[in-house]
Amino acid sequence: LEKKYGLQECIVVPVTECENQREKVNEEAAQYLLRILKDHMTLGITWGLTIGSLIEYLKAKKIPFHKKGIKVLPFVGTAILQDADHALQKNHANLYALELAEVLKGVGYQLPAPMYVSSPEAKEVFEKDPLIARVLNLTKKADLGLLPIGQLSKEASIVRTGVLSLEEMDQLQKEGAVGEVLGNFFKEDGTFLKTEMQKRVIGISKEELFQIPLRVGIAYGKSRVKAIRGAAGNKIINVLITDSITARGLIEG
C-alpha cells in the first residue's frame, strides 16, 4: 500500500470478518500517537464517529501520554443540527478537541463557528472575527492532522446529521463524488469537486491541509474503499491506519 499510493506509512491491522475492526484499528491508532507525538506538537482533528470512537478508546484504556505542551484544535466548525440523535449531538470537532486535549494532557482550542455558513459573504465575516481567525491561523501550523475519510452514503455522519441532504448526496454522486474530508467532496481519483458548499466551509482549506506534514487517515470498512483510494491517491492523506480486509480492497482496486 505504501508503494502503490506513495504513503509515508501504512499500518494494517489483521482482522477476520467476525472481529471488531473498530477496536483493533483504535488500538493501533493509539500506539501510533504514542510513537509519533512530541513535546509542543499541534494536532488538528475533524469530526466523525471514527474520531469519537478513538477518543473513547483512549479514555477507556487510560493510554499514558506524557508529552508536554500538546495543542489540539478543530480543523472545521460545528456541523451538528439540533434534531440529530443523542450520539450525533456529541459528534463535532470542538468537543472532540477538548476531550482529546484532556487525554493528551494538553490544551484544547475551540472554533466558534458553524462548519457551513449561509453564504460566501458570511464566510468572509466569520473568518475576520479575531477569535476565529486565531484558531484558523493555528490550524495552518499543525504538525499532524487526524482525518477520518468520510464515505458518501446514507451512513455518513454528514448525511445522518442532515448537514447534507439525500438530494444533495445523490447529485454529488452523479458528479462522481465518493468521499468527503473537511467539508470538501472528492472523486475516486482524489480530485476535489468544485461545489457551492465548498465556498461556505469555515475551517482549514484543502490547500492549507496539504501543507501539514502528517495527514493521518483513520479509515476502515469495505464501503470506504473508494473514498480511501481517492484520499490516498491524491495525497489528501500520507499516513493510513486501516484493517486487513479494507487493505485487500485497496490493493486489488
Side-chain angles (χ1 to χ4, degrees):
L1 283 171
E2 289 173 357
K3 182 178 180 180
K4 180 170 182 174
Y5 293 101
L7 296 165
Q8 287 188 23
E9 183 174 359
C10 184
I11 299 169
V12 178
V13 186
V15 297
T16 63
E17 292 281 358
C18 60
E19 283 185 297
N20 187 332
Q21 296 166 293
R22 178 172 292 178
E23 181 83 2
K24 286 181 165 288
V25 172
N26 282 340
E27 180 180 354
E28 289 302 324
Q31 293 304 312
Y32 175 81
L33 290 175
L34 276 170
R35 169 166 56 88
I36 211 73
L37 286 178
K38 310 297 183 208
D39 289 348
H40 307 294
M41 267 192 168
T42 297
L43 171 63
I45 64 170
T46 182
W47 66 314
L49 296 178
T50 300
I51 291 292
S53 72
L54 172 59
I55 293 171
E56 288 303 313
Y57 178 89
L58 296 174
K59 289 161 66 176
K61 298 296 183 180
K62 296 181 169 59
I63 305 294
F65 291 95
H66 301 295
K67 302 303 177 183
K68 299 176 182 177
I70 298 291
K71 296 184 181 71
V72 184
L73 44 89
F75 274 153
V76 290
T78 300
I80 298 303
L81 298 185
Q82 293 301 314
D83 57 355
D85 65 41
H86 179 69
L88 291 173
Q89 284 282 359
K90 298 172 61 179
N91 179 18
H92 58 86
N94 277 326
L95 177 61
Y96 289 157
L98 294 179
E99 290 185 336
L100 185 55
E102 184 176 354
V103 170
L104 300 178
K105 299 178 177 60
V107 178
Y109 289 77
Q110 298 283 280
L111 183 56
M115 181 176 178
Y116 292 107
V117 292
S118 58
S119 67
E121 292 76 21
K123 173 182 168 76
E124 289 185 18
V125 173
F126 269 92
E127 291 182 341
K128 288 178 182 176
D129 181 273
L131 291 175
I132 295 171
R134 176 170 178 259
V135 177
L136 290 177
N137 283 330
L138 285 173
T139 65
K140 301 174 187 178
K141 303 172 185 176
D143 302 290
L144 183 152
L146 290 182
L147 304 167
I149 306 304
Q151 60 182 320
L152 203 59
S153 75
K154 294 179 181 178
E155 300 305 312
S157 293
I158 198 167
V159 176
R160 290 176 62 191
T161 56
V163 173
L164 184 72
S165 71
L166 290 175
E167 293 75 19
E168 289 171 324
M169 181 193 76
D170 289 341
Q171 181 57 41
L172 286 166
Q173 288 176 331
K174 289 176 182 176
E175 294 174 21
V178 298
E180 173 267 330
V181 63
L182 300 173
N184 297 286
F185 303 93
F186 58 87
K187 300 179 182 180
E188 193 170 352
D189 64 2
T191 58
F192 284 98
L193 289 175
K194 293 182 179 180
T195 67
E196 184 272 339
M197 292 180 73
Q198 179 183 315
K199 300 174 183 178
R200 299 187 283 109
V201 177
I202 302 294
I204 187 171
S205 71
K206 58 183 184 296
E207 293 81 13
E208 292 161 348
L209 174 65
F210 282 104
Q211 302 304 311
I212 294 172
L214 293 173
R215 305 181 296 281
V216 184
I218 304 173
Y220 43 90
K222 291 180 180 178
S223 63
R224 283 187 166 84
V225 167
K226 288 184 178 180
I228 299 169
R229 183 180 294 127
N234 197 32
K235 305 297 187 291
I236 296 170
I237 59 172
N238 58 12
V239 175
L240 174 63
I241 304 174
T242 191
D243 68 274
S244 56
I245 297 171
T246 309
R248 280 195 291 272
L250 289 167
I251 290 171
E252 294 167 0

